[in-house]
Amino acid sequence: MVMPEPTKDKWIKISKGFEIHAKFPNCIRRSTRALDGKHIRMIQPQNSGSLYYNYKHFFSLVLLALCDANYCFTWVDIGAYGKNTDSGIFKESTYSKLTEKTLNIPDPSPINNSDETILPYVIVADEAFGMLENLMRPYGGKLLSYEKKIFNYRLTLARRYIECTFGIISNKWRILHRPLDVDIDFAEYIVKAICVLHNYVRTRDGCSYEDTFFTAPLSSLTGATTGRAIRVADNVRAKFMDYFTNEGSVEWQNRMI
């Protein structure tokens, strides 16, 4: 009821929301969807050894999630080992099917009126993820061109929705303010219940902007390996970059980089 399996029509509706609010066309997050992962703190599970021990030196299970422009989860994957990286967890999740094109993602379409070049619908993620045709990450490095800085800023603007969503659930569901002291299976049920209840409350009661400020109980993931960006994906990213610095530019973006 509150987190149905996305259809092509649903993807398009989500994309329109991100185009209006985040100024990022053909985005289905996301992931307009944003993709991100968070560590849920736990007391060390019995007989788990170091399996759930992460790089930040505490025990956790991982919530990997996508959201829409209304701060609602559209997909979650819960229960990966705390020591895993974003990219490794993503490869094991159902969204790895992006590479198999089996997720009802709409067909590529133009993103502006002056260029008939079609581009795929994409999920936006951070640099921890390897880039795919349907998964955009920022350009790496510090000495970036103006165009690449604009692209990174616009991508970050879209990505912030998932960070805000994690902040909202941290504030609303106070059990996340302390490590979960339950069995692994029960912990997964708790996190699933929180995600579903969050959508239920969000669609009926909404949330205040202040709800998004506090994110400490959920720690960001980082990935050690990003993979080699394929030529097709890099061409897609370059097209988005060109759009953001030309027809799709907004007057305030130059002040933000």
Side-chain angles (χ1 to χ4, degrees):
M1 291 175 62
V2 296
M3 200 185 304
E5 182 176 352
T7 62
K8 286 187 178 182
D9 289 340
K10 179 67 174 179
W11 287 129
I12 292 173
K13 183 178 180 180
I14 291 171
S15 173
K16 295 300 183 184
F18 275 99
E19 185 171 0
I20 294 171
H21 298 289
K23 309 301 181 185
F24 201 120
N26 283 29
C27 184
I28 58 172
R29 298 180 346 160
R30 265 137 269 269
S31 249
T32 220
R33 287 188 170 220
L35 174 65
D36 201 4
K38 293 293 179 182
H39 288 289
I40 308 294
R41 286 179 176 268
M42 299 183 63
I43 301 297
Q44 181 180 5
Q46 293 185 356
N47 304 317
S48 65
S50 62
L51 195 60
Y52 290 87
Y53 197 68
N54 63 53
Y55 75 99
K56 290 195 172 185
H57 310 298
F58 60 84
F59 291 90
S60 65
L61 78 164
V62 175
L63 165 62
L64 191 67
L66 295 169
C67 75
D68 61 20
N70 196 39
Y71 305 105
C72 285
F73 291 114
T74 53
W75 169 86
V76 295
D77 189 278
I78 302 163
Y81 301 146
K83 66 180 180 180
N84 286 354
T85 62
D86 276 11
S87 56
I89 295 167
F90 180 75
K91 290 176 182 178
E92 297 297 324
S93 73
T94 55
Y95 261 79
S96 63
K97 294 181 181 179
L98 279 171
T99 58
E100 304 169 12
K101 302 183 185 299
T102 58
L103 292 177
N104 294 321
I105 293 177
D107 295 332
S109 65
I111 61 172
N112 62 60
N113 297 324
S114 62
D115 187 350
E116 295 184 356
T117 302
I118 60 174
L119 288 175
Y121 285 80
V122 297
I123 291 170
V124 295
D126 63 21
E127 62 277 2
F129 294 87
M131 194 167 66
L132 302 171
E133 182 180 356
N134 296 103
L135 180 64
M136 293 288 101
R137 50 165 288 170
Y139 287 98
K142 295 183 179 180
L143 300 177
L144 298 176
S145 65
Y146 164 79
E147 291 80 8
K148 290 181 178 180
K149 288 181 180 179
I150 290 295
F151 173 85
N152 284 1
Y153 169 68
R154 296 287 291 274
L155 183 143
T156 301
L157 181 65
R159 272 199 66 252
R160 71 182 176 87
Y161 283 86
I162 188 65
E163 295 291 343
C164 289
T165 303
F166 286 137
I168 292 168
I169 66 170
S170 296
N171 274 347
K172 179 72 72 173
W173 313 107
R174 312 296 285 189
I175 192 172
L176 296 177
H177 283 215
R178 59 178 176 80
L180 301 180
D181 189 9
V182 296
D183 293 337
I184 290 294
D185 290 344
F186 192 17
E188 291 183 16
Y189 281 126
I190 289 173
V191 178
K192 289 177 183 178
I194 287 173
C195 293
V196 171
L197 288 170
H198 163 78
N199 280 13
Y200 182 87
V201 173
R202 181 72 187 95
T203 55
R204 287 156 178 78
D205 297 342
C207 70
S208 65
Y209 177 64
E210 289 75 13
D211 286 340
T212 66
F213 290 160
F214 187 71
T215 60
L218 301 179
S219 302
S220 295
L221 292 170
T222 59
T225 177
T226 60
R228 185 173 298 176
I230 61 174
R231 186 180 301 274
V232 172
D234 197 49
N235 288 338
V236 170
R237 183 166 62 176
K239 283 287 187 179
F240 277 107
M241 179 180 66
D242 181 68
Y243 172 75
F244 291 147
T245 54
N246 292 286
E247 182 179 336
S249 65
V250 290
E251 59 181 10
W252 35 262
Q253 66 186 25
N254 292 328
R255 302 194 299 268
M256 306 303 293
I257 63 171

